[in-house]
């Protein structure tokens, strides 16, 4: 369980996870249409992982699961990895996704603290 965190902090993290999941899905779809798609294989794989863990973290927090902290910790790590991969590409969708991933990682770390 998240514990004594305020409802506002919890909601901020849920919303950050949902926004990040959406950004990852949009970025993944856009990357698949880029001419250098073969150079983006690792990025695309990480985008899938990131979108999935963000959705999972949002669900766990929404039901105040006792495992939320662990899921949020993993989510923060995967978001950081995804941001790093996306930052290597200068497309607008990759840069937007990297920004959303960084924000999500920050909010998830607040849940773990």
């Amino acid at each position: 369980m998240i514990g004594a965190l305020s409802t506002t902090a919890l909601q901020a993290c849920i919303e950050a996870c949902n926004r990040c999941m959406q950004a990852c899905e949009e970025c993944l779809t856009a990357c698949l249409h880029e001419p250098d798609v073969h150079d983006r294989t690792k990025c695309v794989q990480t985008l899938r992982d990131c979108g999935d863990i963000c959705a999972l973290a949002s669900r766990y927090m929404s039901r105040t699961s006792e495992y939320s902290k662990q899921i949020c910790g993993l989510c923060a790590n995967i978001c950081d990895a995804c941001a790093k991969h996306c930052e290597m590409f200068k497309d607008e969708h990759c840069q937007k996704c990297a920004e959303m991933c960084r924000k999500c990682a920050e909010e998830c770390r607040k849940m773990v603290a």
Side-chain angles (χ1 to χ4, degrees):
M1 190 122 121
I2 295 292
L5 288 169
S6 73
T7 304
T8 305
L10 183 64
Q11 190 60 40
C13 191
I14 290 170
E15 289 173 9
C17 285
N18 289 336
R19 284 190 303 270
C20 188
M21 180 271 304
Q22 181 179 355
C24 287
E25 291 293 334
E26 291 171 354
C27 187
L28 188 153
T29 300
C31 280
L32 292 175
H33 293 94
E34 293 292 343
D36 62 345
V37 67
H38 296 294
D39 296 331
R40 298 171 186 249
T41 303
K42 184 65 176 167
C43 187
V44 166
Q45 291 170 335
T46 308
L47 282 162
R48 288 181 65 207
D49 289 345
C50 191
D52 286 350
I53 195 68
C54 286
L56 185 66
S58 176
R59 288 195 307 270
Y60 272 57
M61 286 184 286
S62 294
R63 63 181 172 239
T64 60
S65 169
E66 66 181 287
Y67 303 105
S68 294
K69 281 189 175 189
Q70 292 95 323
I71 296 293
C72 285
L74 180 59
C75 187
N77 292 339
I78 294 174
C79 283
D80 283 339
C82 192
K84 184 178 176 184
H85 284 290
C86 283
E87 286 168 348
M88 294 189 306
F89 300 98
K90 300 307 174 196
D91 311 293
E92 184 179 341
H93 58 86
C94 286
Q95 294 300 308
K96 175 187 172 190
C97 187
E99 180 183 338
M100 295 272 107
C101 287
R102 296 279 183 213
K103 288 179 182 177
C104 186
E106 180 182 331
E107 290 297 328
C108 281
R109 284 200 173 84
K110 290 178 187 175
M111 294 294 107
V112 176

